[in-house]
């Protein structure tokens, strides 16, 4: 029996490329060695950047490796290519075009402009790339930021867009004893220099305008969603109807409500629902941002959804949207799991 498997990687723009994967080799390693444009970052199963859908054949996770995939995602065929070894010849579908990985990750330096508390547990950090430094990113992708004086890095999706460069805005959830949280709260000041690297990730706005968009954000999962809305706003031509459902645990944890309100003036088709788990009053809905999605929100067969927040929110939103008729391939999600 051959120890080499033929693996086909099928990109969303119809381009399919085959690659030979040796026994004991991951699909990602083989694809990168062959020069294929597969999105990736950590190469160790923790970032989800390399997720693809197994559509033919059998492929499992390397023995002893642990992945961030939800069990339901694995059962639905999702695989992290950096941990995946084919058991037969296989075909994987990638939910991005073959030119999506063209922006290569680079390391750059950026100055801190400001650090501002915008909720009881969220700070807005504005950065400016150092002169001569540059990086590009798609709305929704993330950057890695090194905590000064340490080897620790944290991943953040800018709430700003590439059009705002050299300015970059991050929304950072403050965690008790978190390494970045402590630095931001106790030491960060204007003109401090941060090392950032990116872009990474396969969670980014697709060119499916003008299909209706449903965007579900939990906590600082709002950041990439704001970047997407601003990108849509700047695109010429007709804007899609957008429903943004954003929620936090309590009213004091909500943030960027003024920014959201402003966007409703700029994008006429933007509707919003803001919810809190506890303490709702006034216009706030009681419950989580998934509860706020209603049956009649899915009125179009090509509706696309972007979900960003904690794993349980992603799982619940995916389940609900599929139940309401969204095609699984039109649901894009990024888990935000705090790291301490
Ligand atoms: S590259 Fe990060 S999970 Fe595979």
């Amino acid at each position: 029996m051959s120890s080499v498997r033929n693996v086909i990687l099928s990109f969303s723009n119809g381009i399919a490329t085959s690659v030979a994967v040796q026994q004991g080799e991951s699909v990602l390693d083989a694809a990168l060695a062959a020069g294929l444009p597969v999105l990736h970052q950590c190469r160790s199963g923790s970032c989800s950047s390399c997720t693809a859908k197994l559509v033919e054949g059998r492929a499992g996770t390397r023995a002893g490796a642990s992945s961030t995939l939800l069990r339901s995602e694995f059962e639905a065929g999702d695989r992290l290519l950096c941990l995946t070894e084919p058991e037969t010849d296989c075909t994987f579908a990638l939910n991005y075009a073959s030119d999506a990985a063209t922006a290569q990750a680079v390391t750059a330096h950026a100055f801190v402009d400001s650090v501002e508390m915008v909720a009881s547990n969220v700070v807005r950090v504005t950065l400016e790339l150092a002169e001569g430094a540059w990086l590009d990113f798609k709305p929704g992708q993330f950057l890695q930021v090194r905590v000064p004086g340490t080897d620790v890095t944290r991943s953040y999706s800018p709430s700003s867009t590439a059009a705002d460069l050299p300015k970059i805005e991050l929304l950072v959830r403050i965690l008790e004893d978190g390494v970045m949280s402590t630095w931001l709260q106790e030491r960060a000041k204007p003109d401090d220099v941060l090392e950032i690297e990116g872009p990474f990730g396969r969670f980014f706005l697709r060119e499916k305008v003008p299909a209706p968009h449903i965007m579900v954000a939990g906590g600082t999962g709002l950041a990439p969603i704001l970047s997407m809305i601003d990108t849509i706003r700047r695109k010429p031509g007709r804007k899609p109807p957008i429903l943004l459902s954003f929620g936090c645990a309590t009213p004091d944890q909500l943030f960027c409500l003024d920014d959201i309100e402003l966007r409703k003036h700029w994008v006429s088709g933007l509707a919003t629902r803001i919810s809190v788990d506890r303490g709702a009053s006034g216009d706030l809905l009681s419950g989580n941002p998934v509860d706020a999605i209603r049956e009649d929100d899915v009125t179009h067969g090509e509706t696309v959804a972007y979900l960003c927040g904690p794993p349980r929110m992603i799982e619940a939103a995916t389940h609900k949207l599929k139940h309401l008729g969204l095609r699984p391939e039109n649901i894009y999600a990024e888990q935000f799991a705090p790291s301490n």
Side-chain angles (χ1 to χ4, degrees):
M1 195 172 60
S2 168
S3 59
V4 181
R5 305 296 185 193
N6 186 46
V7 169
I8 296 172
L9 296 174
S10 177
F11 294 88
S12 66
N13 55 346
I15 292 188
T17 315
S18 67
V19 60
V21 183
Q22 306 289 330
Q23 193 165 24
E25 190 179 29
S26 74
V27 176
L28 180 69
D29 285 344
L32 295 181
L36 301 185
V38 177
L39 291 171
H40 64 285
Q41 187 245 322
C42 69
R43 299 178 80 160
S44 60
S46 60
C47 75
S48 306
S49 299
C50 64
T51 308
K53 180 85 72 188
L54 178 65
V55 290
E56 214 176 306
R58 286 198 317 275
T61 301
R62 173 176 286 164
S66 65
S67 100
T68 52
L69 284 180
L70 303 169
R71 185 212 286 257
S72 57
E73 291 172 331
F74 189 89
E75 285 170 356
D78 287 351
R79 296 290 184 274
L80 299 179
L81 295 183
C82 64
L83 302 181
T84 297
E85 295 179 358
E87 296 161 12
T88 63
D89 290 350
C90 295
T91 300
F92 291 92
L94 300 157
N95 71 355
Y96 51 86
S98 54
D99 59 359
T102 46
Q104 294 295 320
V106 297
T107 301
H109 287 101
F111 293 102
V112 173
D113 263 355
S114 64
V115 179
E116 175 199 4
M117 209 77 197
V118 291
S120 61
N121 63 346
V122 178
V123 295
R124 186 200 321 258
V125 183
T126 52
L127 307 175
E128 179 153 356
L129 286 172
E131 208 173 322
W134 200 254
L135 53 74
D136 202 1
F137 63 92
K138 294 174 186 287
Q141 285 192 299
F142 66 89
L143 309 174
Q144 285 206 316
V145 183
R146 183 178 300 279
V147 183
T150 75
D151 285 333
V152 176
T153 57
R154 292 287 181 257
S155 300
Y156 302 106
S157 302
S159 50
S160 54
T161 72
D164 299 314
L165 290 168
K167 297 270 189 197
I168 299 173
E169 183 182 286
L170 308 175
L171 295 167
V172 179
R173 182 174 163 203
I174 295 297
L175 299 168
E176 202 177 338
D177 296 330
V179 186
M180 181 63 91
S181 301
T182 304
W183 183 78
L184 284 171
Q185 289 193 296
E186 297 179 4
R187 293 196 289 282
K189 58 184 185 317
D191 291 337
D192 280 348
V193 177
L194 288 174
E195 184 184 295
I196 60 178
E197 187 181 1
F200 299 113
R202 65 191 177 96
F203 180 67
F204 52 82
L205 188 70
R206 304 308 206 271
E207 300 293 326
K208 289 193 175 173
V209 176
H213 287 45
I214 294 177
M215 298 178 159
V216 185
T220 49
L222 180 66
I225 300 291
L226 288 178
S227 178
M228 290 180 182
I229 292 173
D230 275 355
T231 301
I232 291 172
R233 172 170 75 85
R234 288 185 167 116
K235 275 182 192 291
R238 194 155 62 92
K239 316 291 184 234
I242 304 171
L243 169 62
L244 166 63
S245 183
F246 166 51
C248 289
T250 52
D252 62 297
Q253 295 182 10
L254 291 169
F255 53 94
C256 289
L257 298 188
D258 290 348
D259 302 78
I260 292 172
E261 206 51 37
L262 200 56
R263 280 155 183 80
K264 282 168 74 175
H265 293 293
W266 291 337
V267 183
S268 59
L270 173 62
T272 60
R273 291 179 201 149
I274 314 293
S275 49
V276 287
D277 295 335
R278 300 178 297 282
S281 63
D283 290 339
L284 294 179
L285 301 174
S286 182
N288 63 48
V290 183
D291 297 334
I293 301 294
R294 300 192 289 250
E295 219 157 283
D296 57 3
D297 287 331
V298 181
T299 54
H300 191 289
E302 289 303 318
T303 300
V304 293
Y306 294 90
L307 322 173
C308 192
R312 276 200 314 191
M313 188 210 86
I314 299 290
E315 192 158 22
T318 304
H319 182 78
K320 185 166 190 175
L321 290 168
K322 280 186 192 166
H323 177 72
L324 295 181
L326 245 78
R327 290 165 42 188
E329 63 270 29
N330 282 350
I331 301 175
Y332 305 100
E334 179 95 310
Q335 295 178 32
F336 262 32
S339 42
N340 247 319

